[in-house]
Amino acid sequence: MNHPAHTARLHTLGLLLAATLAAAGCASAPPTLAERWTQLHQAQPKLHPRDAARQLGVSEAQLVAAGTTWQATRLRADTKDIQAMYERLPELGRIKAITRNDDVVLERAGEVAPIRRDAQGRVVPGSGLAGGPIDLRFGAAQWGSAFAVVQAGREGKTTRSLQFFDRYGQAVHKVYLDNEQHVADFERLVAQFRMTEQSAALQVEPSPSTSSAVVRSRPSAADIAELRQSWQELSDVHQFPRLLRELKLSREQALELVGTESAWRIGPQALQLLIEDARSRRQPIMVFVSNGGMTQIYSGLIDKTATRGEWYNVLDADLNLHVRSAAIHHGWVVRWPTDHGTVTSVEFYDVDGRQLVNFFSRRDRGQPETSQWRRMVEALPSA
């Protein structure tokens, strides 16, 4: 029969052994995403979540869902829910809308005017999300998830945002509350669209290949002739994507084949030259920044520019534009035939042929672009 003291010692040794094994098991378990993000954030506190997600080998949506240095509330993200949320933006007062791809970021601050429609039911420019300070065009990509994110900012200021991601977990669009008067409205919106289930793991699809695929490597003479004829028959810039689909051409393929009187290639330095020229000449411009699900447009003047590290920036009161300079590989000047005369765009691409940012002259609908804009564009250095 065991002595009571001996039994107690065995029990104590058993507890110590169990604790030791448990500790060893914890030590051998891989760190969670939240723990990995915390370590990375401590080492690089200024690292943007998009870049942090890439370093951690996850999508940005998955990183947001981990909710470590912020509070993330999962929102319903069906098409009808997203549409309803955007229709509620006028209730939030002044907001900041951010659209970006890997190398260009457009941030625009202002208020969204309630939608007004004309006699034909079309949205009146300057109301809703068309033509006003927050000027958006929704893409065809399937949006996959949405979050309300609350985070402690600098000097004790709390930031509140709505963040939308595609089914691959890539950021499509973000809307930040830019005032303190509508916090209650923000919270009501979040409560209305909050998902019941908050603990389920976020599922994302593998990201598609980012390479720029060329459908036809050697178009025939007949293809080129058809392209040039169809080009001359364009009455609106927005008809071009349909033409590309019909002829099975990539955008840059078409620009290469349409003829140098209609499109010519320019060097990467042309982007900064164009913006600086527009700033000094007080030339109003339009800036288009897109990703798979959203295009955001700025229309107006440029006042302040600066280079900080690898980024070239426009830093105006209600507009920030950030361009990773090294990512700009080349550009194109394109003269588009339209019902209202020739319209000239300047668009820039990365080394893989992805369009990063696009510029037009700011003009009223149906009015010609300025001769100053055309002179500025024609002076840009060829590639």
Side-chain angles (χ1 to χ4, degrees):
M1 191 170 187
N2 290 333
H3 191 279
H6 179 68
T7 302
R9 284 195 299 270
L10 289 175
H11 180 67
T12 302
L13 288 172
L15 292 176
L16 289 172
L17 178 60
T20 301
L21 291 173
C26 291
S28 63
T32 65
L33 175 57
E35 291 169 341
R36 292 164 58 208
W37 158 249
T38 299
Q39 293 173 357
L40 181 60
H41 181 64
Q42 290 173 348
Q44 302 181 58
K46 294 184 178 180
L47 190 63
H48 190 277
R50 185 186 187 98
D51 299 320
R54 186 177 291 109
Q55 288 193 32
L56 294 170
V58 298
S59 71
E60 186 180 354
Q62 290 170 305
L63 182 59
V64 169
T68 53
T69 58
W70 50 73
Q71 175 189 342
T73 301
R74 186 89 178 267
L75 305 177
R76 301 195 303 273
D78 289 340
T79 301
K80 61 180 179 59
D81 292 316
I82 291 174
Q83 180 180 356
M85 275 188 271
Y86 273 87
E87 289 177 354
R88 297 275 297 276
L89 292 187
E91 301 175 14
L92 300 183
R94 182 180 170 88
I95 60 174
K96 180 183 291 184
I98 302 177
T99 303
R100 67 167 298 165
N101 49 54
D102 281 339
D103 302 298
V104 181
V105 186
L106 178 60
E107 305 177 8
R108 187 75 166 102
E111 295 189 12
V112 178
I115 292 177
R116 292 183 292 112
R117 299 184 182 275
D118 60 19
Q120 288 73 41
R122 295 172 299 191
V123 176
V124 175
S127 70
L129 300 169
I134 310 299
D135 194 356
L136 307 175
R137 303 292 181 271
F138 293 78
Q142 180 180 340
W143 292 23
S145 59
F147 298 86
V149 178
V150 179
Q151 184 175 15
R154 298 175 181 175
E155 300 177 354
K157 182 179 180 181
T158 299
T159 64
R160 296 173 175 84
S161 63
L162 305 173
Q163 302 192 16
F164 303 90
F165 301 86
D166 64 18
R167 61 182 184 270
Y168 311 112
Q170 299 168 338
V172 173
H173 195 239
K174 299 180 181 180
V175 176
Y176 282 79
L177 187 67
D178 200 29
N179 68 83
E180 297 296 325
Q181 293 74 41
H182 291 271
V183 171
D185 297 300
F186 178 89
E187 292 174 345
R188 277 193 293 270
L189 188 151
V190 173
Q192 178 178 344
F193 290 95
R194 184 182 188 275
M195 286 184 64
T196 303
E197 177 56 60
Q198 291 287 316
S199 60
L202 177 66
Q203 301 297 322
V204 298
E205 297 180 18
S207 296
S209 172
T210 57
S211 62
S212 179
V214 177
V215 180
R216 291 183 183 175
S217 58
R218 294 182 181 177
S220 67
D223 293 332
I224 297 173
E226 182 179 359
L227 168 65
R228 293 182 177 181
Q229 177 63 36
S230 298
W231 176 271
Q232 296 302 324
E233 294 172 356
L234 291 177
S235 59
D236 189 280
V237 173
H238 300 98
Q239 297 170 352
F240 189 53
R242 176 180 55 80
L243 177 60
L244 295 179
R245 290 192 297 270
E246 291 175 354
L247 299 180
K248 298 181 179 178
L249 295 171
S250 72
R251 186 179 184 92
E252 283 205 275
Q253 249 190 319
L255 297 182
E256 290 171 353
L257 298 172
V258 77
T260 54
E261 69 281 359
S262 297
W264 63 93
R265 190 160 158 151
I266 54 178
Q269 70 273 33
L271 184 144
Q272 291 191 31
L273 293 173
L274 180 67
I275 293 178
E276 294 296 340
D277 204 11
R279 180 187 59 78
S280 63
R281 295 177 184 271
R282 308 302 292 163
Q283 167 67 48
I285 62 174
M286 299 181 72
V287 185
F288 293 70
V289 175
S290 303
N291 53 49
M294 179 69 81
T295 297
Q296 184 163 335
I297 307 165
Y298 166 73
S299 300
L301 297 170
I302 300 295
D303 289 319
K304 181 182 179 182
T305 60
T307 298
R308 295 179 179 174
E310 62 179 341
W311 295 89
Y312 172 71
N313 309 278
V314 175
L315 302 171
D316 292 341
D318 294 332
L319 165 71
N320 276 195
L321 176 68
H322 311 289
V323 180
R324 198 190 310 266
S325 299
I328 304 298
H329 185 262
H330 62 277
W332 287 87
V333 173
V334 187
R335 288 174 170 164
W336 302 89
T338 76
D339 284 343
H340 305 291
T342 299
V343 173
T344 309
S345 70
V346 185
E347 39 194 78
F348 291 92
Y349 295 78
D350 68 8
V351 68
D352 293 320
R354 289 184 291 260
Q355 189 184 97
L356 300 179
V357 61
N358 197 1
F359 299 89
F360 283 84
S361 169
R362 170 70 178 89
R363 62 189 180 88
D364 293 328
R365 186 174 179 83
Q367 296 300 312
E369 63 188 15
T370 65
S371 57
Q372 174 175 263
W373 172 254
R374 293 182 180 177
R375 290 193 301 271
M376 289 167 53
V377 167
E378 289 169 356
L380 295 174
S382 299

